[in-house]
Amino acid sequence: MKKVFLLLFCLAFFKMQAQENIDSLILSWNKISDEFIKVNEMDSACKYGNCAVERMDLEINSKKNRTNREELINLKKKKAQALSNLVTAYGNSDRMDLAMECYQSALQIYKDINEPFEIFNLHTRMARVNELRSSYNESLKYYHKALDQAIINNDKKSQALCYNLIGIDNRLLGNYPEALKNHFEDLHIHEELNDKVGIANAYVTLAAILNKLNEREAAIEKLASAKVFFEEMNDTSGIATVYNDLGSTYNTMGDTMSALQNHLQAAKLRELCREYNGLGASNSYIAKIYLQKGDYIKASNYLKEADKAFQKASNRQGIMTTQIEMSGVYLDKYDLDSALIWLDIAENTATEIMNYQGLIDIYSSRGEIWLLKNNSDLSIKNFKHALSIAEQQNNHQQIYLLNSHLANTYKDIGNYRDAFNYQNTSVQYKDSVNSNANFKAVVQMEMEYNYKKEKLENDLLQEKKDELNKVELAKQETQKKLYFAGVLMFLMLSLGLLSRLRYIRKSSRALIAQKDEAERLRSVAETEKLRATQSEKVKEQFLANMSHEIRTPMNAITGMIDILIRQDHSSSQAKYLHAIQQSSENLLVILNEILDLSKLEAGKMELEKISFEPVKILQNVENILHFKAEEKGLKLILKTNKNIPQIVCGDPTHLHQILLNLASNAIKFTPKGRITIEANTNFISDDKVVLQFKVIDTGIGIPKEKLDHVFDVFTQGDTDTTRKYGGTGLGLTICKRLAELHHGSISVESEINIGSTFTVEIPYGLMNDKEEKFQEEITKDARDLNILLAEDNEFNVIVARDALENSLPGVRVDVAENGEIAVVKVQSNRYDLVLMDIQMPEMDGYEATRAIRLMGIEKANIPIIAMTANVMKAEVDRCFEAGMNAYISKPFDRHELLANINKVLEFSHSQK
Ligand code: ADP
């Protein structure tokens, strides 16, 4: 009432003013129309809006030839404003054709007088009108137009607004993946603008959508981010929203306690800031939880509270929803009549406010209740009613659900033809609702299941009829036969039918189980797939970082220690130096183990195929561990059978790794006695051999119950193994994976306090005489070399220079601090080879290599060895692609460095 008085007052006031000035008159019509829109009095809004337009037309016509351009533009602008008001007024009174006319005219005017911001406003008005009528596909169309305009206007805030509104509509249409994209766009723009309110709200919305997509943890994370922003801004209402959403999320996760706590917290905050809409929503959530718990009294009490709050906020949609929920409470109590009464009440409200979604819900619920009351006619009628509204609204989700309800209802009454038709339509829509391929397969299965079930039932029905017919015939034919024979036959048939019926039940149960299993497997597969791809990505990222970040400083540390140890130092310093050396070596072992395992698990470990001498590998292992064994007073014995081929073809590095690991373990876990490494040939053909290696110790042994698990990740024999012996529990896992990668095997036998025997079997290729001869040592004479070292890290320069100067007689090392300098130096000096770091400032190693390869023929062929801290295959491939000849990983091994230098020099000589 207050508002109406206010309006009348305004009207009188504006009219008085308008006597003098046509401008204020127009303004007054426009304003009055606007005010009426605000109080939802659309008829009056239309009336006054029209007055304004008509007045403006008169004004423009009369002044067209008499006034200047600017004033004419001004008049047109006012007319467009009036028209744009009319768009809202007509649209909200459901006179869409008139609204559309006004929209077109206003649009034309704004285009003529070039008002890009007004064009944007007009589109959003039109979208809003459609949204209020729940015509979300239409509203999306206009929001997209508004977005295009906002992009033209380069108006970021409006763009964010549009993404947000588009996202909301997509959400309402059940198009969650699209909505997620929209809201991420919205978030990014707010981040760009550093708009905290926008960011916080975007997080809340994203959480809501993630919830819909069953990404609960991600949703909780987003809500936590939102809460931080709201708290920063002291925004109580925002915090309440977060609590509410957290409550809902926990509820879907089945954690009702946390859900209830969060919703209660939200309600408290909302009451505090008199936010009645929110309070209504919170109470309604709380009611829902109590309903789940079967506490009907509390549920309906909280719904009453919700209703009160919505009344205070004059939120009729809220009131309607509460009424529908009230019906739900009665439905749960199986008080079907009361549930129907509440639906009638809700229907009145929904009709008044033209809430189509509400009407769909109401008719669907009614359909379900009538089904429970065994009245399929009324049930079908209500479902159909709901379906027609859903179709009008083009709401795929609802169309799918309602078709499926109708299919089931028709099936229940034995009308298979209609059931099948509705089922088919529902499948089509289910497909469009969720485009997931697996989903499609499941729907297909569901269809097949329903079809099979129906067919089975029909067949059996037919059979039953046939059999009854037979009985009839038999009866006629045997009229004269004895009465008891007839009775006997009937009994037999009944028994047959009984077993048939049992068969039907059994088959349907089996089919249902099959369907449930398929559904379960599908959801498990989906979650697993998602989880797997996510963790795979994280793992790869982690690997790359780990490689780079740890290997580079480790290179400097190990290299410097080498230098220090070789220089003069006191004996007390020697102790510390060796301790540092030992620790850094241990650290490298752990780092390498983790990297190896990750590579193996990601399927990124690749095996070499080169010729090598297996016995040499064993000798090398013995050489390395000889002192360690001696230190502990253990004997290390190497037994190689004569039948071992001298040369085989395969991966020597990883064989070395496996044997070294097993033998180190053996020494580690053997307090006294001996360790024997045996090698045998287990199987031999023309081109293949299986080598068997045994590492036998007389150590502490492994308990029987742990024996099956020693090859599992992070498994150690005893809980105090780590304390006593150190280690990561990864070594054996890596050995096993490596053996498997070779198509070989590894096994263990052990007895406590007697000892353990690890057996490894690996197939290798055999070399035949025609194939290249094994080259024992790299024989190239690398004297007086001129080497360019391109490296920006001064510690690494010291280490590399030292390694080179100590191993290559007469070497001269020139240093370039970045790629650019390296290129200049290569251009103006003569070098035998370049050692090229990859990550350097100004110009990186790839670019520098490419630049060198483009120089004149003499320079372009200079051998280049990459020095990289990243040992991932992708990085190594990039090195070769850029034109490098070899690579060594940092921290580099001096022998590896020299071997590579020899290799590239030999190759470059052979090319000359
Ligand atoms: P770690 O880094 O702990 O040595 P491994 O994967 O190499 O990890 O070994 C796993 C566990 O298996 C060890 O912690 C130890 O308990 C047991 N183990 C391995 N080799 C032996 C052995 N030769 N004798 C006794 N126990 C062993």
Side-chain angles (χ1 to χ4, degrees):
M1 272 317 271
K2 240 192 207 167
K3 277 180 185 159
V4 177
F5 278 129
L6 183 84
L7 267 172
L8 290 174
F9 178 72
C10 285
L11 186 62
F13 175 73
F14 287 134
K15 266 196 160 178
M16 248 165 56
Q17 264 207 339
Q19 303 299 326
E20 297 142 31
N21 182 335
I22 180 73
D23 265 3
S24 12
L25 180 68
I26 304 299
L27 192 74
S28 64
W29 295 134
N30 262 338
K31 271 209 164 162
I32 292 164
S33 168
D34 238 0
E35 289 299 321
F36 275 118
I37 289 177
K38 277 185 206 154
V39 291
N40 216 6
E41 294 289 337
M42 295 304 164
D43 283 347
S44 310
C46 293
K47 199 170 119 196
Y48 289 104
N50 261 320
C51 285
V53 175
E54 277 162 22
R55 261 329 286 226
M56 282 319 304
D57 269 341
L58 279 176
E59 200 63 18
I60 292 170
N61 281 333
S62 68
K63 287 193 176 165
K64 209 188 270 171
N65 301 321
R66 284 188 288 129
T67 183
N68 61 15
R69 212 179 102 82
E70 258 157 55
E71 200 188 336
L72 203 63
I73 288 183
N74 208 12
L75 289 173
K76 281 189 178 174
K77 197 168 162 183
K78 280 181 192 137
K79 183 183 168 189
Q81 255 163 19
L83 282 165
S84 139
N85 272 353
L86 268 177
V87 168
T88 311
Y90 277 137
N92 289 0
S93 12
D94 222 16
R95 282 180 270 179
M96 279 315 280
D97 42 347
L98 290 177
M100 198 64 198
E101 262 175 41
C102 295
Y103 164 76
Q104 292 293 1
S105 315
L107 190 62
Q108 198 48 52
I109 298 175
Y110 283 138
K111 279 184 181 165
D112 287 348
I113 59 174
N114 193 18
E115 283 284 343
F117 288 94
E118 294 301 339
I119 296 178
F120 168 81
N121 281 337
L122 188 64
H123 289 319
T124 51
R125 256 179 202 256
M126 197 62 185
R128 184 85 195 111
V129 163
N130 278 296
E131 211 171 45
L132 279 173
R133 305 166 70 234
S134 307
S135 308
Y136 301 117
N137 278 317
E138 279 297 297
S139 61
L140 272 176
K141 204 167 87 189
Y142 290 101
Y143 280 137
H144 274 290
K145 284 186 182 181
L147 174 63
D148 291 342
Q149 190 62 42
I151 293 171
I152 295 171
N153 299 354
N154 197 16
D155 176 356
K156 291 275 177 191
K157 272 204 167 151
S158 301
Q159 287 170 32
L161 177 74
C162 285
Y163 277 121
N164 187 21
L165 295 167
I166 292 172
I168 292 174
D169 282 1
N170 269 322
R171 229 166 108 200
L172 288 168
L173 285 172
N175 190 354
Y176 302 120
E178 196 55 39
L180 200 65
K181 265 194 240 159
N182 302 144
H183 288 290
F184 265 116
E185 293 283 358
D186 174 43
L187 173 68
H188 293 152
I189 298 178
H190 287 304
E191 279 172 344
E192 216 177 289
L193 299 172
N194 196 18
D195 168 10
K196 288 188 183 167
V197 182
I199 298 174
N201 286 330
Y203 275 130
V204 171
T205 319
L206 281 170
I209 303 169
L210 284 164
N211 255 324
K212 290 280 181 196
L213 290 167
N214 289 334
E215 302 268 3
R216 313 269 177 242
E217 261 129 45
I220 290 178
E221 199 184 293
K222 294 275 173 298
L223 286 172
S225 309
K227 194 163 161 247
V228 172
F229 278 95
F230 283 130
E231 278 167 351
E232 237 175 67
M233 293 179 289
N234 240 339
D235 179 347
T236 321
S237 147
I239 302 171
T241 308
V242 172
Y243 277 124
N244 236 345
D245 292 0
L246 276 172
S248 306
T249 311
Y250 281 118
N251 195 27
T252 35
M253 288 167 88
D255 182 351
T256 39
M257 270 313 285
S258 308
L260 209 55
Q261 270 168 9
N262 277 293
H263 283 310
L264 285 167
Q265 191 73 19
K268 213 163 89 186
L269 289 178
R270 279 175 163 165
E271 185 129 47
L272 211 73
C273 50
R274 291 167 200 274
E275 217 191 67
Y276 295 112
N277 269 325
L279 179 63
S282 294
N283 283 327
S284 152
Y285 283 126
I286 298 169
K288 237 178 247 160
I289 295 174
Y290 279 118
L291 184 60
Q292 279 168 23
K293 291 177 158 221
D295 190 337
Y296 301 116
I297 299 175
K298 278 202 174 139
S300 59
N301 280 346
Y302 273 100
L303 279 180
K304 277 177 203 153
E305 288 298 314
D307 183 61
K308 263 192 229 159
F310 285 133
Q311 299 276 5
K312 274 190 196 162
S314 305
N315 178 345
R316 296 169 83 192
Q317 182 168 342
I319 297 170
M320 175 201 77
T321 315
T322 316
Q323 288 160 346
I324 298 178
E325 282 166 357
M326 209 54 147
S327 145
V329 174
Y330 283 103
L331 178 62
D332 252 41
K333 273 167 82 174
Y334 218 79
D335 180 350
L336 302 181
D337 291 328
S338 305
L340 280 174
I341 292 173
W342 273 106
L343 284 181
D344 289 346
I345 298 172
E347 186 187 356
N348 283 339
T349 319
T351 318
E352 269 171 39
I353 56 171
M354 285 190 297
N355 188 308
Y356 298 103
Q357 185 54 49
L359 285 171
I360 297 175
D361 288 345
I362 293 163
Y363 291 123
S364 302
S365 305
R366 238 195 232 142
E368 271 163 38
I369 295 175
W370 281 117
L371 210 57
L372 291 171
K373 285 171 82 89
N374 280 329
N375 187 335
S376 14
D377 282 351
L378 276 180
S379 166
I380 288 174
K381 201 175 132 197
N382 276 291
F383 283 144
K384 281 190 176 169
H385 202 142
L387 179 61
S388 70
I389 304 174
E391 278 168 350
Q392 264 170 33
Q393 298 300 312
N394 207 9
N395 185 331
H396 289 202
Q397 178 90 17
Q398 293 289 353
I399 298 177
Y400 150 65
L401 284 172
L402 287 160
N403 269 295
S404 149
H405 284 330
L406 278 163
N408 286 333
T409 318
Y410 273 120
K411 201 168 68 196
D412 285 349
I413 56 169
N415 181 345
Y416 296 113
R417 194 145 48 92
D418 280 342
F420 210 77
N421 287 341
Y422 279 107
Q423 179 74 15
N424 267 342
T425 322
S426 105
V427 168
Q428 280 164 23
Y429 277 93
K430 194 172 191 176
D431 240 15
S432 89
V433 170
N434 192 336
S435 60
N436 189 311
N438 285 335
F439 203 89
K440 212 169 168 181
V442 170
V443 173
Q444 198 72 29
M445 274 191 75
E446 252 171 38
M447 256 181 82
E448 274 167 26
Y449 153 76
N450 284 326
Y451 173 74
K452 272 191 207 161
K453 197 175 155 200
E454 274 159 27
K455 195 163 175 289
L456 196 68
E457 282 168 358
N458 279 338
D459 286 355
L460 286 165
L461 229 72
Q462 193 57 42
E463 237 174 82
K464 198 169 145 189
K465 271 188 203 153
D466 290 351
E467 274 171 294
L468 281 170
N469 280 342
K470 266 189 222 158
V471 174
E472 200 56 43
L473 274 175
K475 248 187 186 172
Q476 282 170 9
E477 277 174 20
T478 55
Q479 256 174 1
K480 287 168 200 160
K481 287 188 184 169
L482 288 171
Y483 177 68
F484 75 84
V487 172
L488 197 68
M489 214 162 140
F490 178 73
L491 272 175
M492 277 167 70
L493 275 169
S494 305
L495 271 173
L497 279 175
L498 205 69
S499 77
R500 270 288 167 200
L501 272 171
R502 268 202 209 123
Y503 173 65
I504 303 178
R505 261 190 228 134
K506 218 169 129 189
S507 314
S508 341
R509 245 183 273 136
L511 280 164
I512 289 169
Q514 189 185 335
K515 186 190 144 204
D516 285 352
E517 181 61 9
E519 190 70 37
R520 192 185 65 77
L521 285 177
R522 181 184 70 86
S523 91
V524 169
E526 263 173 20
T527 348
E528 286 301 311
K529 197 177 127 199
L530 204 75
R531 205 177 287 158
T533 39
Q534 274 171 356
S535 69
E536 188 58 29
K537 262 193 211 145
V538 173
K539 208 192 272 174
E540 271 174 27
Q541 191 57 44
F542 169 74
L543 256 181
N545 290 349
M546 181 103 152
S547 250
H548 252 114
E549 301 307 323
I550 307 185
R551 276 173 176 265
T552 305
M554 277 306 287
N555 182 34
I557 296 172
T558 50
M560 300 280 184
I561 299 167
D562 272 351
I563 296 171
L564 282 179
I565 286 177
R566 265 184 281 116
Q567 284 175 357
D568 287 344
H569 52 262
S570 70
S571 59
S572 65
Q573 281 170 337
K575 205 170 73 190
Y576 297 124
L577 282 175
H578 282 112
I580 299 175
Q581 191 180 37
Q582 190 61 49
S583 306
S584 54
E585 272 168 18
N586 288 346
L587 193 54
L588 256 180
V589 169
I590 296 173
L591 174 66
N592 284 336
E593 279 187 349
I594 294 175
L595 280 173
D596 276 352
L597 192 65
S598 317
K599 263 201 268 175
L600 277 162
E601 285 194 338
K604 291 207 164 128
M605 181 77 87
E606 280 172 18
L607 294 181
E608 265 186 314
K609 231 181 173 159
I610 54 170
S611 34
F612 70 94
E613 286 177 283
V615 174
K616 281 240 163 99
I617 302 284
L618 289 164
Q619 284 166 348
N620 193 284
V621 170
E622 196 221 48
N623 276 342
I624 294 175
L625 295 179
H626 186 70
F627 293 107
K628 233 187 203 164
E630 230 168 48
E631 262 174 37
K632 280 187 86 173
L634 300 170
K635 267 192 196 150
L636 182 60
I637 305 159
L638 192 62
K639 279 191 191 165
T640 49
N641 197 314
K642 291 227 162 39
N643 63 11
I644 302 244
Q646 198 204 348
I647 297 167
V648 295
C649 180
D651 186 324
T653 321
H654 288 116
L655 173 63
H656 188 261
Q657 186 179 353
I658 296 173
L659 293 176
L660 192 67
N661 211 323
L662 294 180
S664 308
N665 271 354
I667 294 175
K668 189 157 79 171
F669 296 109
T670 306
K672 62 173 194 294
R674 63 183 178 281
I675 284 90
T676 317
I677 308 177
E678 282 182 12
N680 248 305
T681 301
N682 215 9
F683 167 80
I684 197 154
S685 73
D686 279 351
D687 58 349
K688 224 180 187 171
V689 63
V690 174
L691 297 185
Q692 185 197 61
F693 304 94
K694 276 182 191 279
V695 178
I696 309 160
D697 67 51
T698 55
I700 60 169
I702 302 167
K704 276 217 160 32
E705 66 276 14
K706 300 271 169 155
L707 218 48
D708 288 341
H709 304 290
V710 282
F711 296 109
D712 295 349
V713 180
F714 296 117
T715 300
Q716 297 194 315
D718 218 320
T719 33
D720 56 22
T721 304
T722 322
R723 190 167 40 79
K724 258 198 226 160
Y725 302 99
T728 54
L730 288 178
L732 288 180
T733 316
I734 293 171
C735 288
K736 181 159 193 271
R737 303 267 164 95
L738 280 175
E740 284 166 354
L741 193 65
H742 280 86
H743 302 292
S745 64
I746 187 168
S747 59
V748 58
E749 288 164 52
S750 184
E751 228 171 291
I752 288 286
N753 293 332
I754 304 279
S756 315
T757 301
F758 283 86
T759 308
V760 185
E761 288 188 333
I762 297 180
Y764 288 103
L766 280 176
M767 306 294 297
N768 64 39
D769 294 341
K770 283 178 209 141
E771 275 179 76
E772 61 174 294
K773 272 258 174 237
F774 179 67
Q775 295 178 342
E776 197 183 337
E777 277 298 328
I778 305 147
T779 50
K780 196 66 223 153
D781 188 7
R783 284 184 164 274
D784 303 325
L785 289 178
N786 235 339
I787 295 179
L788 176 66
L789 174 65
E791 167 71 80
D792 62 313
N793 182 318
E794 56 179 311
F795 298 115
N796 285 339
V797 169
I798 299 174
V799 173
R801 188 193 280 279
D802 182 78
L804 293 168
E805 284 172 355
N806 275 298
S807 324
L808 299 170
V811 72
R812 280 179 304 281
V813 182
D814 196 1
V815 177
E817 291 80 19
N818 63 46
E820 220 169 71
I821 302 175
V823 174
V824 175
K825 288 204 165 186
V826 169
Q827 185 70 275
S828 47
N829 300 305
R830 203 201 63 77
Y831 297 106
D832 294 303
L833 98 118
V834 183
L835 288 172
M836 183 79 81
D837 182 29
I838 296 298
Q839 288 192 337
M840 286 184 290
E842 312 296 337
M843 186 190 271
D844 65 21
Y846 307 118
E847 233 181 295
T849 305
R850 277 192 286 266
I852 292 171
R853 294 295 181 231
L854 289 174
M855 291 176 181
I857 190 102
E858 202 192 325
K859 306 273 179 196
N861 288 335
I862 186 169
I864 302 178
I865 300 178
M867 296 189 298
T868 166
N870 187 341
V871 286
M872 303 297 289
K873 188 173 177 301
E875 174 112 357
V876 174
D877 285 347
R878 271 186 81 189
C879 292
F880 287 118
E881 265 164 35
M884 301 189 200
N885 307 81
Y887 81 94
I888 50 166
S889 60
K890 291 196 280 190
F892 53 69
D893 175 78
R894 182 197 295 259
H895 300 291
E896 195 190 341
L897 173 66
L898 296 180
N900 271 299
I901 291 179
N902 269 319
K903 193 167 86 185
V904 294
L905 286 179
E906 192 168 312
F907 181 75
S908 99
H909 287 302
S910 71
Q911 295 285 300
K912 281 180 187 161

